[in-house]
Amino acid sequence: MEIKTIGVIGAGTMGSGIAQVAAEAGFNVIMRDLEEQFVQRGLTAVEKNLARAVEKGRKSQSEADAVRGRISGTTRLEDLSEADFIIEAIIENMALKKELYEKLDAICKEETVLASNTSGLSITEMASATKRPQKVVGMHFFNPVPVMKLVEVIKGFDTAAETFDLTMELARQMGKEPIAVNEAPLFAVNRILVPMINEAAFVLMEGVATAEDIDRGMMLGANHPIGPLALGDLVGLDVLLAVMETIYHETGDSKYRPCPLIRKLVRAGHFGRKTGRGFYSYT
Ligand code: 3HC
């Protein structure tokens, strides 16, 4: 199956990054969000990244214009009917995702693959809301999408080998390096990474070390590019909490309990970089 048009649902940090790399790879992209202001914010993020690439000499102005020209924004879900491949990047809420997958199943062409960028929710459960579970797959990008090379491709219970292979190939065409993962809570990478960030929050909460020293420690002692607390702020503490809750509930294992400090920060509306405050303040 030839993919020409990719539908991206959700124009947030992940959705806009995915739209950008898809357009850079030559695909036409239709990016959809619920409100015009969200669509515009996503398009502005792409434009900023492209302007920076031109400034840095990585792209010519005409290349950047061509990439931008391949992305259209919409609030109408029906506009995705012409997409050959859908990448969903909406909030981590299974009820909302299932409602969306049911609608997409009715709107999209029969051969269209529905891929989720979920951080760790069940692909099988999303697929159960459709009549095409063999065409539902996980395609998990990492933040910031234009920079990070990895895509986890996740096989749900009924995902067909053909769907899986197509998604691996699409990830390569988008300039990424895919790894193959069988469905399990949080897949492979977040299963390791997110509990580490959660543990760093415990270390902070217990007063074992300051935020700066925890982060410096992991950068200097384990060669991480940024420390775990800074990474939590980058990913978003709301996302992080939702991801920890998923693995905690799915496994019932107390080792995955979310750190109360993260819960408190989220309740206070301090989600990290995107709200200007998380473990650190960003002014
Ligand atoms: N979009 C596009 N480009 C970006 C970017 C963004 N949001 N953020 C940074 N970059 C680019 C910069 O433009 C810069 O490129 P340039 O040198 O050509 O100008 C380059 O990345 C390096 O950026 P900086 O010099 O500003 O900062 P750093 O050297 O600290 O690099 C980083 C930034 C690449 C984000 C680095 O800190 C890093 O690798 N951090 C770890 C990221 C990580 O672990 N991500 C995974 C999160 S988990 C996840 O996403 C899964 C989810 O399900 C929870």
Side-chain angles (χ1 to χ4, degrees):
M1 189 185 114
E2 199 198 346
I3 298 169
K4 285 193 179 142
T5 301
I6 295 181
V8 176
I9 308 188
T13 311
M14 297 305 281
S16 63
I18 293 167
Q20 181 187 326
V21 295
E24 283 173 336
F27 297 102
N28 293 320
V29 179
I30 306 168
M31 182 167 69
R32 189 260 181 179
D33 211 317
L34 293 170
E35 289 179 30
E36 191 54 39
Q37 53 166 336
F38 302 148
V39 175
Q40 283 311 322
R41 198 163 59 192
L43 291 172
T44 303
V46 173
E47 284 160 8
K48 269 195 192 152
N49 278 342
L50 291 175
R52 186 170 169 81
V54 172
E55 206 178 283
K56 287 250 167 180
R58 285 195 302 265
K59 271 189 181 56
S60 67
Q61 187 61 53
S62 64
E63 280 167 340
D65 292 344
V67 171
R68 176 62 188 87
R70 283 193 283 274
I71 308 176
S72 60
T74 184
T75 53
R76 287 164 35 95
L77 200 61
E78 304 79 55
D79 289 348
L80 296 165
S81 61
E82 59 191 272
D84 306 305
F85 195 103
I86 300 274
I87 306 175
E88 167 272 309
I90 71 163
I91 74 168
E92 292 290 69
N93 176 312
M94 183 55 86
L96 290 179
K97 293 210 196 246
K98 283 170 86 170
E99 202 182 306
L100 175 67
Y101 277 80
E102 196 178 344
K103 286 187 189 151
L104 285 172
D105 194 35
I107 289 166
C108 293
K109 296 181 282 191
E110 209 177 298
E111 61 273 24
T112 299
V113 166
L114 310 180
S116 179
N117 176 58
T118 177
S119 299
L121 294 175
S122 168
I123 303 302
T124 304
E125 192 171 350
M126 291 173 218
S128 74
T130 74
K131 295 189 186 72
R132 62 178 91 190
Q134 73 287 356
K135 292 205 165 289
V136 180
V137 67
M139 192 177 192
H140 182 214
F141 291 81
F142 289 75
N143 186 5
V145 177
V147 180
M148 303 298 282
K149 278 285 174 199
L150 180 67
V151 170
E152 282 181 301
V153 178
I154 300 110
K155 189 179 177 312
F157 193 78
D158 286 318
T159 308
E162 190 192 341
T163 303
F164 187 84
D165 293 346
L166 182 77
T167 310
M168 293 286 280
E169 185 48 34
L170 178 63
R172 289 187 196 101
Q173 286 173 13
M174 288 169 78
K176 302 298 179 192
E177 293 185 29
I179 62 167
V181 181
N182 284 313
E183 178 170 319
L186 272 54
F187 315 137
V189 174
N190 277 348
R191 162 99 173 258
I192 301 165
L193 188 66
V194 176
M196 181 200 69
I197 300 173
N198 195 52
E199 200 60 34
F202 273 111
V203 174
L204 177 66
M205 189 183 77
E206 290 167 14
V208 178
T210 62
E212 289 78 8
D213 278 357
I214 292 166
D215 277 354
R216 255 167 21 102
M218 292 303 286
M219 289 167 73
L220 299 175
N223 255 4
H224 289 196
I226 57 176
L229 300 171
L231 183 56
D233 280 353
L234 176 77
V235 168
L237 301 184
D238 54 334
V239 174
L240 208 68
L241 180 60
V243 173
M244 276 312 287
E245 297 274 27
T246 300
I247 193 161
Y248 182 52
H249 286 130
E250 287 270 340
T251 61
D253 191 332
S254 65
K255 76 178 174 184
Y256 295 125
R257 73 214 177 285
C259 175
L261 175 59
I262 297 181
R263 204 184 284 288
K264 218 183 259 182
L265 284 165
V266 170
R267 283 181 176 151
H270 303 316
F271 297 172
R273 275 176 192 256
K274 61 186 162 189
T275 59
R277 187 169 157 198
F279 292 115
Y280 297 97
S281 284
Y282 304 86
T283 42

